[in-house]
Each structure stands twice: as C-alpha cells, then as structure tokens.
Amino acid sequence: MRAMLVLSTALLCCSAAAQQEQTLMQWQFEEGLEGWGKANHVEDLRVEDGAMQGRIMDWDPFVTSPQFEIPATAWQVIEVRLKTDCPGTAEFFWTNTTRSRFGGFSPGKETRFEVTGDGQWHVYRVRPYWHTEERIILLRLDLPRRETEGLPEAEARPTFAVDYIRIVDLGEPASESRENAWDFSQAAEGWAATGDASAEATDEGLRVQVSQEGDGGIVSGPLRLPVEDRFWVFIEMAVDAGDSGMIRWVSSEHAGMVTHRFPVRPDGRMHVYNVDISSSRQWSGELLLLGLTPSLSAGATATVRRIAVAEEPQGPPEVEVTWAGLEDALPRAGGTLPFVISLINRGGETAEGVSIHELTLPPGVTVAADDGWRQLPPLESFEIVTHRFGLSAPQPATGTIELALSGHGAPPQPTRTPIDITPSLDLPPADYVPQPQPVPCQYEIGAYYFPGWPSRVKWEPVERSAPERKPVLGWYDESDPEVCDWQIKWAVEHGISFFMVDWYWNAGSRHLEHWVHDAYMNARYRRYLKWCMMWANHNPAGSHSEEDQRAVTRYWLDNYFGMEEYYRIDGRPVVIIWSPERMRQDMGGSDGVRRLLEISQQMAREAGYPGICFIAMKWPETSTDPATIRRLADEGFEMTTIYHYMGHRGNAADPQHYAFELVAESTLPFLQAWREADILPFLPAISTGWDSRPWHGDRARVVHGRTVPLFRRICEDVRRFADDTGLRRLALGPLNEWGEGSYIEPCREFGFGMYDVIRDTFCQMPQGGWPPNVTPQDVGLGPYDLPPAEARTAWDFQDGTQGWGPFMGVTDFRAEEGAICFRTTSPDPAIAASLRDVRAVRYPAITIRMRMDAVADDGERGQLFWATATSPVSEANSVRFDLIGDGEYHDYVLPMAESDRWRGRIVRFRLDPCSHTGAQVCIDEIRLEARE
C-alpha cells in the first residue's frame, strides 16, 4: 500500500522527463542504529537481523535521526522499508533547525503516510515537499498508534522493524506548465493516476477508480501556475460513492502537500463543484502540482470531465435543496403550518426561472393559499434562499411531501420530506411557561450545557449551513429567564436532573456566564434542576498558579456553592475540570496539581463544606490506559468523565468523516474497558454527536448519520452497563453545542425524539402517563427568535448594538452613549456581526472608530476577520492594524482592497480588538467606505 500523499516515480517520469535518481542519505542499520536513537514511547530499541526494531508503547511513538545536511527541493522522496503489526498513520517530521520546543521539529513540517499492519515488509515512498526549508538536517519517524481499548497488553504493544531509510533526489522536471484549465473529454491533458488509483481517458472524461480508502486520485504534471486571485477550483465530474472528495496541491511558498476536503454528490450524475480555497493561507505563490481525489471512499468510480483554477465560480447553475420541511418541530393540526425550503446555487451562473413544478401532499393536507407560492426568486452563484409557503391540515396527518423543481439548474430528482402533524393539545393561552412535571428516574442524569448563544450573530453560521438544527425555542437569547424555564421544564420532564455548565475563568477573568447569572439565577423554576461547573480551563500557558487557585475557589464559595441548587455528591460541591494537563504544564507536574486541589479542599472545609468533589476530564478521551487514570487519582481527583465519546475502535477509515453507527457499536466496549481499569469511579458519557461544519466548513470533523434509533441503542447499552455495575450517576454529552453538532435539545431535525429516548430508557412512566411535550406555540408564547441582521454598511450604535454581539473573551457588553463598550476577559477576545447584501468590490476600505485604555508595551495589533458566502472566518481572511492605547478615540482605516481575499459576498465580521486581558474597549462607529 502506498502512502496517502505519495506520488510514484513512474508518474513523474510520465509527466515530465526527469534526471536519474540520486541517493542523498541512507541508513541501512547493518552495524547498529547509525545515530538513530532518541525515542519516545518506544521500548527495546535495538538493531537485530540488520533492522532497527522496537515495541510501540504509548500514544506518541517516534525515533529520531542523527544530524546531517542536504539541500531541500520539491523533487525529493523519503523511502523507508518497514514492517509492523500495527496498521495506521505514520509520519516523517523534518526540519532545518534544532531550535524549537520539540528539538527542532514543529507542527506543519510533517508528511503522513498509511502503513499496512500485516507484519510483512513494505516499501513506502513519501514526498515531503520540503523545498521551502532550503536544507534538511533532521528526520523523525513517528510510528502508527493502535487503538488499545479493551485489548490484552501483548496486543496493545505492537512491534516494528525498519530495514532502511533513504532520501532520494528525483531531479528537476524538464518542463512545467502554466495552464489553468483542463478538458478531459479530449485527452488526459498531462494528468495521471497516483497512489492506488487508476485512470483511463474516455470520451466522457477521465474515468478514475479509487481502490483504497482516502488514497490516490489524479494529479497534474509539474506546474508553474500563479495563484494570484484565482481562489476557485472548478470541477465537473460524476461520482458513484462516498460523500467527500479532496483537492491536493503543492505551493512554491509553503512546504508539504496541502489538502482541502469538499462534499460530493454520489449519485453517478454529472455535477459541477466550485470549491473556494481562499481560507487556506497555503493557497498562494505558484502551484507546483495540483491533484484531485474524486472520492475518499474505497471502490468509488468517478468520471472527471473538467478542472480549472479560476477567479470566479464556473459552469452552469446547479440548484440544491439543502433542507425542506415544516417550520415547527412539533406541528399541530389546525391553523396554517409554514413549509420551508432552503436552496443554494452551487454553479457559476445565476439560476433563473426556477419554480415548484410538482407538489405531492399527504391526504388531508393542502396549500393554504394560491398566492404565487410556486415561483422561486433568482439565485445568484452561492446565494442561499429560503422560500416559505403555508400548508393547511385541519386534522392530524402523516406521510411524505414530494417536491419537484423545474427551470434552468433545477435538481433532476424530487425532494422527499416525511411529516407528522399531531393533534392539537387544545391548551389555553398561558401567561408564562407551564409548571414542570418531573418524571421519576432511578438514575441521576446530568447533561453538559454550552452557554454560547447570547446573540443572533452566534446563531448565524448554524442558521446558514444547518437550518434543520433550529431549536424549538427558535434562535433564542440564552440570557432570557423565560427561555431557561422552558429548558428546565423539558429537561426534568425527560429524566435530566442537573446541568454541567461550561464555565470560563482565566486568571480572574470570566465570560459566557450569562446563562447562569442572567437566566438560571432569575428563572422561576430553577429549584427543579441542579447545576455544577465544568471549568473549561483551556487557557493560555501560565494561567494556573496557587494564587489563582485561591482566587477561583473564593469565587466559587462566594457565588455558587451556597446555592441550594448547586449539585453535590455526598454533600460536596462538584467541580469538573476540563484539562488536568493544562494544570500540570503550569505547575510543573502532578505534584503541582495536587497542591492546587488541596488548596481548594482546605478552603472549602474552612467554609464549612466537607470538601469539593473534583472530577477530571480525561485526555485522550478514548484512552483506557490505567497509568493515565492512576495519575489523576494521585493528583486528588475522585472521579473521571469525558465531554464527548466519539470513538470508533479503529474502524473508521477516515477519522475526520465516519458514521455515527461506529460510535454506537463501540460505546459499550469502551465503557467495559474503562471499568476494567477499576482505579477511579467513572461518570459514563452518552454521545450526542459531532458535526462542526457550521464552525469549520469543509475542514470540519463530521460524524454523520446520527438518528434517534442509534441514540436509543447507545442509551440502552449505557443502561445495561449501569445495571451490571451498579452505577446510578450518568452523563449526557452536550445538549446544545449547535455549532459543533452535539445537540439533543428539541429542534426541527429530531423534534423531542432524543429527549423522549432518554425518558423511555432511564425513567419510570408515572401512573397518569408521560407529561405531554408542550411547546411555546401550544400555549401562545414565543417566538423567542433574536432579530436577524439588518442590511447595513455602517453602525453608529445610536440605538443599541445594531447586530454586533460578544463572540468570545468579552464581558459586560453593552451599548451606551452612542457606542458599544466591553471588557476583555482573555488574550483572544472577539465581537462579531452578521451582514446582508455586502459586496466586497463596492467597499475598498473600512473605518473603525475605537478607543482603548492601554496596549502592550511592545505594541499590539487589532484584527478584523470576515467570512464570505463560501469561505469561513480564517487567518487568511483577515487584516491587522496597529493600536493606540491612550483612552482616546482614534479612526483606524483598514485598506481592505489590498487583500486579494476581500471579494465576493461578505456575510460576517469578527473583530478582535486587542490581544490582552482586562482591556476596556469602546467602539463609536464601524463604517464600510464605498468606492467613489
């Protein structure tokens, strides 16, 4: 098996004449380790039978070369002959220096390759593309790591042997192309197969067969293609399997081969794909090589007709229905029911004249009014349109709505949406949230709660890319006590008895505390639901100290522990700590962590409590290594838990994109392996999913295919484990990580289905039956939607925050005297706003009128980020500006037109006003300067 990123020598010979290969360095291990010896998580490193051999012991195994020196070019390979009984991903790290935290090595200077774990010899040729280093002086071979959950110790410590390692120079290519478009309906155009793929030229285009999961594809010949402002890769192809493809490239200005994943439609039909690469800083300079993996699914077949690197999206319009369904998550019979269709045009041309050609409705359901509901507005390239019309259902109805579109660019296949219109509850209007009816439960079930939804701007990425996630409560203001009372009501009526709330403290600064302080503490029904902190201490280095531990403990004692509703175990307030490792790093090891926890314990005892129950989050989360757990016990933690379980026991061919079914299959074995360690009590976590595309776009980790039945299977397995072991305290993954994709709070996608599973699995039905799932609409309350963004190009804050809101690291955010003011609570503070109808080309500059009380002695810079309709917020999509910290207002004029990534339709701003904690910031005006 060849490596994922390897290009064969044969391919290079086919694409351009090359010089004869030359071996620059070689280690054959015939008379010893030859200087290879600095190792980590490797035991019994030795030379035997002419090979370097050893045993893999833990999660980061590697061996390091002696120092040498060779010139670095783009046309060199590392060749290794290796055998191991541990399949997985290996890496070669390389460097031109010895100065770094890791002995010269650093993230971003490595090349991964997949290793076969059959115990047989294999030769791997790895293309590092390290040409920007100029010279190479060290190598490090990182070996595969096996998932060890539940494995016997002998199997959990695999072996490896290396016969030789060589660095080979293939020679400079004889010719290079500056072409930026290729039409494969005529010929292969210099492209050829790579890895384990095969490619054949046909009249339809290049027919590509992918034989290995995530491996191979087609690649251009050597290029010298200036990127300049060409940020789109256009592909026209048909794919019959998989859900993702990958673009690969080598830049003259960056080391390594860079990859960008994009979604594909595996229906075997020809589609156009316009992939925006602008968020990648590595897309710059000249392209030396361009590659395409049409599908990451083994066995997939694709026909690639055209590829181009372009300034704008290309090809005909292609309209896609991203979501269709009833607006209400729990639709009731009677009245008008809004039906919503979300569409996007992924082609380069405007889609005009698209209409609803056919609409098939279940019996008893009709269109409420014939008022032009069939016609859709024109869709420009990558414009998202939401189309609504009303349905009428006087009686309950169940069935499928089938929707067929017609017009230029309309999808060829109809969209089918199941609906279930339930009977009206016939409840009278209420003045407030109806009183909760807690259900009896023999388990204490806690749920992680992320308090990240105080403004519409935080909801905007979810609303744009995942409208099916819309909560029953709407795009709500989380600081509203009435919203909180609905959350409390639904939680306790489904067996959830406490929330574990993400809580942020960084050396005295706090943020995202609005749910606890503004909503929960003022909620009418807070007595029904307890809460505790999950201290999310993923802070910068140096934030933990004995002094800070005293300060944070004093804050707990003064503000939280005295609350009747604060969750306790055996009378001790519970504090969950996200990262014991961060504490170790700051305190010099486990002894320092032990001192910190003992400080808190002593202060709690002095305040009259029997102590604090500290629970550790564990990392890596899926590890069941007893040494890791024993260390936590020695540090003073009394229990362990995890935030997510997203394990797959090594069965995911692509760890960035796999099925939720693998999580369901592996949950019980993971819990059993954890229990067998038998060192600390464990708070088992029930997975609530992961799909972070609203935050991270195509870079997201996606666990797809989450369903109510699969969630039920996990809950039933956890209950079986709890009953077998006597556990009565359980945890749910996040209820409301809407952006990361970990959510079960009632929403469009699942209704109350996930909550009902918890109740059905863990609770006892009361004599009168389960309490009904009442929504705000049932009693005439709501909606709780925050107002959407206005169409603005200037904000003077004379009448409020005008759509700007806190994003992270900010507290006391307010509008006063015609300005927005706030205090920063971390070194990475940010505020944000959503935009409508802002075209970058019209606005070459932005003026920010801002004052700040102080800046760092060595100078400090602010940073404005933006997102387009197709490119998320990123370092590439940003500009920086020097700050003045004299407490006076200054106009900062940002030359946006100087950035080649300031283009297209701008949908979002994020402003990082500074990079230090405790800054007092006021912004008087933000104004886009129109082109004359």
Side-chain angles (χ1 to χ4, degrees):
M1 173 181 174
R2 293 192 182 98
M4 184 183 299
L5 303 182
V6 171
L7 304 180
S8 69
T9 306
L11 170 59
L12 290 172
C13 292
C14 291
S15 58
Q19 300 175 10
Q20 187 173 359
E21 293 185 5
Q22 179 184 1
T23 299
L24 302 179
M25 288 296 303
Q26 182 169 260
W27 297 272
Q28 293 183 302
F29 308 114
E30 293 178 347
E31 299 180 358
L33 290 170
E34 299 184 19
W36 287 75
K38 184 179 179 182
N40 185 68
H41 291 175
V42 170
E43 186 179 71
D44 192 24
L45 186 66
R46 68 196 187 279
V47 168
E48 185 175 311
D49 298 329
M52 176 172 62
Q53 303 193 31
R55 186 175 292 275
I56 298 170
M57 298 302 296
D58 212 331
W59 62 274
D60 189 23
F62 63 77
V63 290
T64 307
S65 78
Q67 193 164 326
F68 61 93
E69 183 170 341
I70 61 167
T73 76
W75 314 111
Q76 293 166 339
V77 299
I78 307 171
E79 183 176 289
V80 57
R81 187 169 187 254
L82 169 70
K83 70 176 178 179
T84 179
D85 51 1
C86 181
T89 302
E91 296 173 294
F92 271 112
F93 280 82
W94 31 264
T95 182
N96 65 0
T97 180
T98 58
R99 297 179 180 178
S100 81
R101 178 183 171 190
F102 304 104
F105 302 105
S106 58
K109 295 183 179 183
E110 78 278 346
T111 304
R112 295 177 174 85
F113 59 104
E114 295 302 309
V115 168
T116 302
D118 59 2
Q120 303 298 312
W121 289 110
H122 296 272
V123 175
Y124 305 93
R125 277 201 148 194
V126 179
R127 290 293 299 269
Y129 293 110
W130 51 27
H131 47 285
T132 57
E133 295 292 277
E134 296 185 356
R135 63 178 188 143
I136 302 298
I137 66 169
L138 283 173
L139 287 183
R140 193 180 93 181
L141 172 59
D142 285 38
L143 298 151
R145 178 176 66 89
R146 170 172 288 174
E147 291 279 347
T148 59
E149 302 166 34
L151 292 175
E153 185 172 352
E155 293 183 35
R157 300 290 183 261
T159 61
F160 71 93
V162 179
D163 183 37
Y164 63 78
I165 299 173
R166 297 173 183 154
I167 301 175
V168 179
D169 194 316
L170 304 176
E172 295 285 338
S175 61
E176 296 163 321
S177 171
R178 299 180 70 87
E179 291 293 323
N180 72 308
W182 300 269
D183 184 344
F184 301 120
S185 63
Q186 306 300 317
E189 296 271 354
W191 288 61
T194 181
D196 281 335
S198 62
E200 177 187 3
T202 72
D203 291 342
E204 288 293 311
L206 276 181
R207 184 175 175 83
V208 183
Q209 181 81 38
V210 180
S211 59
Q212 296 286 343
E213 193 88 30
D215 184 36
I218 55 174
V219 68
S220 71
L223 301 174
R224 280 288 179 184
L225 174 59
V227 171
E228 297 175 332
D229 53 359
R230 296 183 180 123
F231 293 111
W232 291 92
V233 176
F234 165 75
I235 304 160
E236 186 178 14
M237 68 177 180
V239 179
D240 66 1
D243 49 25
S244 295
M246 188 171 284
I247 296 165
R248 311 175 190 271
W249 72 90
V250 178
S251 162
S252 62
E253 296 182 349
H254 301 277
M257 179 175 275
V258 190
T259 62
H260 184 100
R261 184 194 298 264
F262 66 98
V264 299
R265 303 176 68 179
D267 57 4
R269 298 173 180 271
M270 196 64 66
H271 294 283
V272 298
Y273 301 90
N274 284 288
V275 185
D276 187 346
I277 312 289
S278 62
S279 62
S280 173
R281 286 188 294 178
Q282 288 82 13
W283 185 267
S284 64
E286 294 181 324
L287 297 187
L288 304 183
L289 210 67
L290 181 65
L292 170 68
T293 299
S295 172
L296 298 178
S297 177
T301 299
T303 299
V304 184
R305 183 177 292 168
R306 289 188 291 164
I307 296 176
V309 179
E311 297 180 12
E312 300 291 342
Q314 304 291 300
E318 178 148 342
V319 176
E320 178 185 339
V321 177
T322 58
W323 188 79
L326 292 170
E327 177 89 42
D328 299 334
L330 217 62
R332 309 292 193 191
T336 300
L337 300 171
F339 188 83
V340 179
I341 312 169
S342 292
L343 310 103
I344 187 171
N345 173 17
R346 300 191 184 278
E349 301 171 7
T350 299
E352 298 183 292
V354 178
S355 63
I356 300 173
H357 176 62
E358 287 186 25
L359 180 67
T360 305
L361 300 171
V365 181
T366 60
V367 177
D370 192 0
D371 54 359
W373 59 272
R374 289 184 179 274
Q375 190 63 44
L376 275 64
L379 280 81
E380 295 184 15
S381 181
F382 283 92
E383 182 179 11
I384 295 174
V385 168
T386 299
H387 183 66
R388 284 181 171 84
F389 57 90
L391 298 179
S392 177
Q395 302 297 324
T398 300
T400 299
I401 294 179
E402 185 170 297
L403 183 80
L405 303 182
S406 63
H408 190 37
Q413 297 297 314
T415 298
R416 296 178 178 85
T417 302
I419 62 167
D420 183 11
I421 301 172
T422 58
S424 171
L425 297 182
D426 293 323
L427 296 174
D431 295 330
Y432 196 70
V433 182
Q435 188 161 332
Q437 302 177 52
V439 298
C441 191
Q442 60 181 313
Y443 305 89
E444 280 190 43
I445 300 176
Y448 291 109
Y449 186 95
F450 172 60
W453 312 102
S455 62
R456 186 64 176 253
V457 70
K458 294 298 292 287
W459 287 109
E460 187 269 340
V462 183
E463 186 178 2
R464 281 183 58 82
S465 63
E468 72 279 3
R469 298 184 189 182
K470 185 176 184 179
V472 168
L473 289 168
W475 308 115
Y476 52 75
D477 178 359
E478 198 170 43
S479 60
D480 183 349
E482 187 170 328
V483 167
C484 181
D485 274 327
W486 280 110
Q487 294 173 321
I488 292 171
K489 173 181 173 64
W490 293 336
V492 300
E493 289 180 350
H494 292 85
I496 300 169
S497 57
F498 65 100
F499 281 1
M500 300 169 286
V501 182
D502 295 5
W503 187 80
Y504 299 83
W505 168 286
N506 175 25
S509 295
R510 310 182 312 278
H511 67 284
L512 293 187
E513 60 183 17
H514 52 271
W515 186 85
V516 170
H517 287 255
D518 299 335
Y520 179 79
M521 287 187 177
N522 294 297
R524 187 177 299 181
Y525 302 134
R526 80 181 203 191
R527 69 184 184 277
Y528 288 93
L529 182 83
K530 296 187 181 298
W531 79 285
C532 67
M533 286 173 289
M534 192 283 284
W535 181 10
N537 65 326
H538 34 72
N539 302 328
S543 62
H544 300 91
S545 67
E546 293 185 15
E547 179 183 4
D548 187 67
Q549 191 72 15
R550 290 186 182 92
V552 72
T553 306
R554 175 53 53 198
Y555 190 87
W556 299 340
L557 291 166
D558 291 346
N559 293 276
Y560 300 149
F561 288 175
M563 294 175 64
E564 182 181 350
E565 296 86 3
Y566 197 85
Y567 182 65
R568 296 170 173 83
I569 294 177
D570 299 330
R572 294 171 301 154
V574 171
V575 175
I576 304 169
I577 295 182
W578 170 271
S579 178
E581 180 59 28
R582 295 290 177 95
M583 301 174 82
R584 287 184 205 117
Q585 290 171 356
D586 286 348
M587 299 302 297
S590 291
D591 289 343
V593 177
R594 191 179 306 110
R595 288 197 306 274
L596 295 185
L597 299 191
E598 184 51 42
I599 286 171
S600 296
Q601 297 286 10
Q602 182 63 29
M603 291 178 68
R605 289 190 289 266
E606 290 172 355
Y609 298 95
I612 300 172
C613 180
F614 282 111
I615 301 177
M617 290 281 187
K618 178 179 57 63
W619 187 260
E621 289 189 332
T622 57
S623 170
T624 54
D625 181 12
T628 302
I629 309 169
R630 191 172 297 110
R631 185 177 194 179
L632 295 171
D634 292 342
E635 290 169 342
F637 292 99
E638 299 181 50
M639 188 180 295
T640 64
T641 188
I642 57 178
Y643 195 58
H644 297 280
Y645 176 71
M646 285 294 114
H648 46 74
R649 293 183 66 81
N651 292 320
D654 180 358
Q656 282 294 106
H657 212 278
Y658 55 94
F660 189 71
E661 186 172 6
L662 296 179
V663 178
E665 291 173 353
S666 63
T667 294
L668 185 57
F670 167 71
L671 295 177
Q672 291 168 336
W674 186 260
R675 178 67 179 178
E676 288 170 6
D678 197 26
I679 297 168
L680 281 178
F682 179 48
L683 184 61
I686 300 170
S687 172
T688 56
W690 185 275
D691 179 352
S692 63
R693 280 177 288 186
W695 287 155
H696 306 132
D698 293 341
R699 305 189 307 270
R701 180 187 184 193
V702 177
V703 183
H704 56 82
R706 185 162 61 110
T707 63
V708 171
L710 284 173
F711 184 66
R712 183 181 299 276
R713 174 179 173 181
I714 291 174
C715 288
E716 290 173 348
D717 281 350
V718 171
R719 173 166 181 165
R720 186 178 306 114
F721 175 78
D723 292 344
D724 289 346
T725 58
L727 287 175
R728 286 297 176 265
R729 189 176 291 112
L730 308 172
L732 284 164
L735 296 179
N736 64 332
E737 278 273 20
W738 303 102
E740 290 184 347
S742 302
Y743 56 91
I744 58 171
E745 191 176 275
C747 61
R748 275 180 182 169
E749 186 176 11
F750 302 118
F752 281 78
M754 298 294 193
Y755 265 31
D756 288 346
V757 164
I758 299 164
R759 184 174 64 185
D760 295 346
T761 306
F762 297 105
C763 302
Q764 299 83 45
M765 184 183 293
Q767 187 172 358
W770 300 122
N773 290 323
V774 178
T775 70
Q777 294 90 335
D778 291 328
V779 292
L781 296 176
Y784 298 101
D785 292 87
L786 288 157
E790 301 178 56
R792 283 180 174 269
T793 57
W795 299 263
D796 60 10
F797 310 116
Q798 295 297 321
D799 56 351
T801 63
Q802 297 178 345
W804 285 82
F807 186 75
M808 61 184 184
V810 164
T811 191
D812 195 22
F813 184 88
R814 65 202 184 278
E816 62 180 24
E817 299 179 355
I820 52 171
C821 299
F822 51 89
R823 179 172 58 86
T824 66
T825 61
S826 83
D828 190 21
I831 62 173
S834 299
L835 286 79
R836 290 176 54 198
D837 301 323
V838 171
R839 306 299 176 108
V841 69
R842 299 173 184 167
Y843 303 99
I846 295 175
T847 298
I848 301 173
R849 183 167 175 78
M850 180 172 69
R851 76 180 184 202
M852 188 172 303
D853 59 345
V855 297
D857 291 341
D858 57 351
E860 199 171 348
R861 309 189 82 191
Q863 191 169 12
L864 180 71
F865 298 84
W866 64 87
T868 72
T870 55
S871 179
V873 165
S874 66
E875 283 291 330
N877 292 352
S878 73
V879 294
R880 296 177 183 268
F881 54 98
D882 295 327
L883 295 171
I884 303 171
D886 59 4
E888 301 292 332
Y889 277 109
H890 296 275
D891 287 343
Y892 300 95
V893 181
L894 313 185
M896 308 304 294
E898 293 182 7
S899 171
D900 52 13
R901 285 166 166 82
W902 177 251
R903 60 188 182 81
R905 187 184 299 112
I906 308 300
V907 299
R908 196 164 197 240
F909 280 148
R910 184 185 115 186
L911 174 62
D912 291 18
C914 62
S915 56
H916 73 274
T917 299
Q920 297 289 343
V921 182
C922 284
I923 301 174
D924 180 65
E925 185 180 18
I926 299 174
R927 183 176 68 252
L928 280 71
E929 306 290 358
R931 189 179 299 279
E932 293 182 2

